[in-house]
Amino acid sequence: MKEYVALIDCNNFYASCERVFNPTLKSKPMVVLSNNDGCVIARSNEAKNLGIQMGEPFFKCKSIIESEDVKVFSSNYTLYADMSNRVMSIIKDFFPNTEIYSIDEAFVSIKTSNEALLMRNIQNLKKLILKWTGLPVSIGISTTKTLAKVANGIAKKGLGLSIIDDGDQSRELILKKVKVDEVWGIGKRLGKTLRAHGIVNAFQLSNLDHRWIRKKTNVSVLRTVMELLGVPCIQFEQIPLSKKQIITSRAFRKGISDFNLLEEAISTYISRASQKLRTQNSVCSTITVALSTNRFNGRIPHKFLFHTKSLQPSTNFTPTLIKAGIKILKEIFEERIAYKKGYVFLSGIENSISRQYTFEDNLDLLAREERLMRVLDRINNHYGSDTLKYANTGTSRGWLMRRPKKSKNFTTNWNELLTISI
DNA sequence: TCTGGGGTCCTAGGACCC
DNA sequence: TCTGGGGTCCTAGGACCC
């Protein structure tokens, strides 16, 4: 029996999701933008070929987008999340030992002595994902996660499936072609440091002296190096770990100086964050609220104002968190400043079962709070996310982000089903 | 005019303990 | 004149990922 790791990655995920429901976009350059249509966060291959960069601000590439007739979409996370769930459930049907790594990627761990069968299964999986969801995926196979990532990168450039065998001499040839900062875990900064020492490709990285790596960098890089050598060092996490920190932050449509509007926005972010907290059965002991001004506006000094409060006992009760958060907001708020972004951080997270109480805590009241949140979540899950909301979160919501070019929620809303006229 | 959002891990250094 | 040694915990900041 040999153990393999495969990385299954959806190609240009957000852009591909839009294409599924709009076939006229096939072979056309297209991009998906971040919230408030700020930056490019997904590109079709045709858009990549036009030189549009990942993360590029929209206004900077607007001229090329217009001149080349690039189709533009605001992000539609409801759609992408639903499409992701579909892909992941197909993968899990094939390979139960699956780690969902991100919205568009999954690692699978496979023990087999029949390599030919494995390859057939993988190819079938790829075909079925395309057939059942309309989404193209690339698959890289090797013996460690890092090598599977390398293989996936090659698959993306070629036929969508690639294998790096640790016994294969071609591993050397392949790793020599991979730039050092394209290796998973080596970013810009480390890449620069490594290049300064003459290490430019993944093969050179894999041959470095371990003591030198430890001295010059950190233990994460050493793990990466071991993985390139075929020694698994990065754990396979089949059961998703619960979050240690929950963040809800959004840029506002435009700068806000009005306290009441900020209160609405922050209350809304807190209800989102506490709902995330409850879905993983956790409570938190710390809340931080922050406001910042536009960091790209060179004419005014950039401000990032924040305070933190401790909560005793730890909680996931939205009203308690809103109360604490608004108190913080009052402390940090300064008049006559246009705030561009609001943040809520929940930390000190633990499982609600292990939560600690004091003798003063009213356990009956806490139990009632818990029941209330259960009912609230159930109603919102069933009838839509804002069916029941807190008055603090406001009704006008003039600060809400802009998504003017958003496609419909084709798969999650009966009123927005795709219609085809013949 | 216009620049996303949400996470994790590691390390160094300070505070503190006996 | 000369001021130990060994350890833990916490936090901020940096680096990385998608």
Side-chain angles (χ1 to χ4, degrees), chain A residues 10 13-14 17 77-91 100 102-105 133 135:
Chain A
C10 300
F13 183 55
Y14 299 166
C17 286
Y77 291 106
T78 310
L79 177 68
Y80 311 149
D82 186 63
M83 294 302 281
S84 170
N85 288 336
R86 291 168 190 231
V87 172
M88 298 306 169
S89 71
I90 298 170
I91 296 173
I100 298 174
S102 74
I103 193 164
D104 68 336
E105 278 171 90
T133 66
L135 294 168

Side-chain angles (χ1 to χ4, degrees), chain A residues 95-224:
Chain A
F95 300 106
N97 207 356
T98 293
E99 172 189 339
I100 298 174
Y101 177 67
S102 74
I103 193 164
D104 68 336
E105 278 171 90
F107 286 106
V108 301
S109 161
I110 307 147
K111 279 195 192 122
T112 183
S113 42
N114 188 341
E115 223 174 286
L117 180 67
L118 169 65
M119 291 312 140
R120 273 209 302 283
N121 276 342
I122 289 275
Q123 270 160 343
N124 277 339
L125 172 65
K126 189 166 141 56
K127 276 185 210 149
L128 275 186
I129 292 174
L130 184 64
K131 189 171 172 189
W132 289 350
T133 66
L135 294 168
V137 299
S138 295
I139 303 182
I141 303 173
S142 192
T143 49
T144 66
K145 283 182 165 181
T146 306
L147 283 173
K149 273 269 181 189
V150 173
N152 192 279
I154 295 159
K156 279 235 161 66
K157 289 171 195 158
L159 299 170
L161 177 62
S162 128
I163 302 149
I164 300 175
D165 200 307
D166 60 352
D168 196 346
Q169 290 163 335
S170 66
R171 193 180 65 99
E172 178 176 336
L173 289 173
I174 289 169
L175 291 187
K176 275 182 177 164
K177 282 186 202 150
V178 176
K179 286 189 200 134
V180 70
D181 43 12
E182 284 172 6
V183 175
W184 189 46
I186 307 295
K188 248 187 189 163
R189 300 300 286 264
L190 282 169
K192 201 174 157 191
T193 310
L194 290 167
R195 273 198 310 276
H197 287 93
I199 297 128
V200 296
N201 64 47
F203 183 69
Q204 289 174 303
L205 178 63
S206 73
N207 278 337
L208 282 177
D209 177 66
H210 296 179
R211 279 163 307 184
W212 186 87
I213 298 167
R214 206 57 195 86
K215 214 168 87 192
K216 294 284 178 190
T217 65
N218 58 48
V219 72
S220 310
V221 178
L222 184 55
R223 281 190 200 120
T224 299

Side-chain angles (χ1 to χ4, degrees), chain A residues 258-271 326 329 390-399:
Chain A
D258 182 283
F259 182 83
N260 294 324
L261 289 181
L262 291 170
E263 183 176 350
E264 278 185 14
I266 293 297
S267 302
T268 306
Y269 297 178
I270 293 174
S271 26
I326 297 310
L329 184 63
Y390 285 87
N392 289 53
T393 63
T395 48
S396 69
R397 299 197 167 178
W399 41 268

